[in-house]
Amino acid sequence: MRKLLTVSFLLFSLIASSQNFLSWQFNDRYFSFSIGTGASTYFGELNSRNSIGNDISQFNLGIEARLLNRVGARIDAGVFTLSGADRNAPDSSFQRQRNLSFSSRNLHFQLHTIYYLKPYQGDYYKRWAFDPFIFTGAGYMKFNPTADLGGETYSLREAQTEGVEYKKWITTIPVGIGAKFKANEFLNVNLEISYHFTFTDYLDDVSNTYASEFANSTAELLSDRKEEVGVVNPEFYDQIQPGASRGNPDNNDSFLQISIKAEIFLPPDLFSRKNKAIIKKPSAY
């Protein structure tokens, strides 16, 4: 968290210095605010088919500043859900016999550096009707995988289904592409696709081996759920026991997000007594 705060301070220092240096060019509407939604898809042990979801599962807010001719910076905050289940795996597969599942509501803070493929036009209202970009950065995310058992929802982290205590805050690395479509002088509609690398294999609570000791019987039932589906494959059924492989620790989990956002440009004197209007015709009109 301290590293993220340091990066944030350096980013805002760069924004401030860039704004002063380039005030002759970006003196009308330097900042923009965005609000959006979209779909999120998790990739890991409980998505054996690597299928991409299309359900609305995220909500995000962002503040962006144009730093240079083709470079911008953005702070983004969002909440979203991820889920996965072995019941969607192929019949008679190890995953189908394993019969694990999870759902997680996550809180995500991100810092993005944005590179625009087209140069800045000099004034916000002269911007391109179609403005493609790529971006990357760093994120800090809180996650909490849960599962239902007997009509109740349990925290899988607290159950320690693999006998492992893992962190609830992790670092992420987003990479993405997008495009801004000019709706009018003040409003853009943005489409983005981003892939997020994580530094954990426990987004789904599945990584290594079946534990041999548990704090209670509920934790044991959450760890090994093969009995709920019976014998799907005798070979895999017999393999599932304490100490046996439960997941693949060699690959960290990740997730994909597809987002649509509304972006509005903020006037530099938004908080001034002289002008309280967010939407005001530019002087060139």
Side-chain angles (χ1 to χ4, degrees):
M1 187 64 180
R2 185 178 300 175
K3 292 181 180 179
L4 190 62
L5 292 174
T6 301
V7 173
S8 300
F9 175 77
L10 293 175
L11 177 61
F12 277 111
S13 297
L14 178 60
I15 291 175
S17 60
S18 299
Q19 187 173 15
N20 291 333
F21 181 72
L22 299 174
S23 59
W24 59 273
Q25 186 178 15
F26 306 126
N27 61 356
D28 51 346
R29 296 196 176 215
Y30 182 75
F31 289 95
S32 62
F33 169 79
S34 64
I35 181 171
T37 187
S40 300
T41 300
Y42 132 91
F43 296 104
E45 282 85 351
L46 302 188
N47 185 2
S48 60
R49 298 178 185 270
N50 288 325
S51 56
I52 297 178
N54 55 13
D55 295 334
I56 298 300
S57 58
Q58 59 160 300
F59 174 79
N60 56 72
L61 302 172
I63 293 287
E64 182 180 329
R66 195 68 173 246
L67 302 180
L68 300 170
N69 192 27
R70 292 179 182 264
V71 179
R74 179 171 63 193
I75 297 177
D76 190 90
V79 292
F80 65 99
T81 58
L82 297 175
S83 62
D86 280 338
R87 62 177 173 270
N88 300 320
D91 293 340
S92 299
S93 64
F94 169 76
Q95 291 86 354
R96 189 69 185 87
Q97 183 66 76
R98 184 178 57 185
N99 192 40
L100 298 175
S101 64
F102 89 103
S103 180
S104 177
R105 176 166 292 184
N106 315 287
L107 179 63
H108 202 193
F109 301 99
Q110 301 177 75
L111 297 174
H112 294 159
T113 297
I114 304 170
Y115 180 80
Y116 290 91
L117 303 186
K118 296 181 178 181
Y120 188 63
Q121 293 287 74
D123 293 293
Y124 81 97
Y125 57 89
K126 297 177 182 177
R127 66 190 184 278
W128 302 97
F130 171 71
D131 198 4
F133 59 89
I134 59 177
F135 64 92
T136 188
Y140 202 50
M141 178 177 129
K142 181 181 180 181
F143 72 107
N144 182 35
T146 64
D148 294 336
L149 178 67
E152 299 289 336
T153 300
Y154 295 91
S155 169
L156 295 173
R157 179 191 292 108
E158 294 177 2
Q160 295 189 19
T161 57
E162 295 185 0
V164 175
E165 183 179 358
Y166 50 86
K167 297 179 180 179
K168 61 182 177 181
W169 285 94
I170 58 170
T171 302
T172 64
I173 302 296
V175 293
I177 60 174
K180 301 187 176 189
F181 299 87
K182 182 179 178 181
N184 57 39
E185 293 88 354
F186 313 99
L187 181 67
N188 283 340
V189 175
N190 304 343
L191 297 178
E192 295 181 10
I193 300 176
S194 57
Y195 190 86
H196 301 256
F197 299 91
T198 76
F199 291 89
T200 184
D201 192 32
Y202 280 102
L203 283 185
D204 50 15
D205 189 63
V206 180
S207 177
N208 210 316
T209 59
Y210 284 89
S212 56
E213 296 181 0
F214 300 93
N216 51 57
S217 59
T218 298
E220 185 174 4
L221 290 172
L222 289 169
S223 175
D224 181 356
R225 310 192 70 164
K226 68 179 182 181
E227 300 294 349
E228 296 179 25
V229 294
V231 181
V232 174
N233 184 307
E235 179 183 357
F236 294 139
Y237 181 91
D238 293 337
Q239 289 179 8
I240 297 175
Q241 56 183 311
S245 176
R246 192 168 183 261
N248 179 10
D250 296 331
N251 297 317
N252 286 336
D253 297 329
S254 58
F255 59 95
L256 176 78
Q257 292 188 320
I258 301 175
S259 307
I260 181 170
K261 302 178 179 181
E263 178 186 25
I264 187 170
F265 288 82
L266 304 177
D269 52 359
L270 175 62
F271 302 105
S272 168
R273 293 182 179 180
K274 296 180 180 180
N275 183 8
K276 291 294 184 180
I278 294 179
I279 298 179
K280 178 182 177 181
K281 282 290 185 179
S283 57
Y285 280 78

